Amino acid sequence: MSKQIKRVTFAPNNYGLQWLDVNMHSWEIVSACGEGRHLVGRACRLADRGNKIEYRTGSTYTTINATVEKMG
């Protein structure tokens, strides 16, 4: 992975979402585990003091209800 791509891993959750790869320059989701593949190509941002990720849906953002465990 390049330096600007960071892997965001999530604490165990009911959604099966394990990780997302985020381009930290453009804040775009570039890769994801199987349960997050529908998020690839969407813009995202940190929320809840860095404990959550939000992804863009049209003109608004939707929070992923899984806690960020590690970013890096």
Side-chain angles (χ1 to χ4, degrees):
M1 276 189 267
S2 89
K3 290 181 185 178
Q4 67 183 17
I5 306 294
K6 299 283 184 192
R7 176 154 293 178
V8 178
T9 55
F10 296 94
N13 57 74
N14 294 333
Y15 307 102
L17 186 62
Q18 298 173 339
W19 58 269
L20 299 172
D21 288 339
V22 177
N23 180 327
M24 301 307 279
H25 181 70
S26 64
W27 282 91
E28 180 181 342
I29 299 168
V30 295
S31 183
C33 66
E35 294 300 321
R37 65 183 168 269
H38 65 285
L39 300 172
V40 173
R42 294 184 183 250
C44 67
R45 66 184 182 189
L46 290 174
D48 191 30
R49 297 185 198 150
N51 292 318
K52 304 274 185 188
I53 295 281
E54 295 179 333
Y55 63 93
R56 190 166 187 103
T57 52
S59 61
T60 62
Y61 282 86
T62 302
T63 302
I64 297 173
N65 289 320
T67 304
V68 173
E69 187 172 66
K70 184 175 135 188
M71 195 168 189

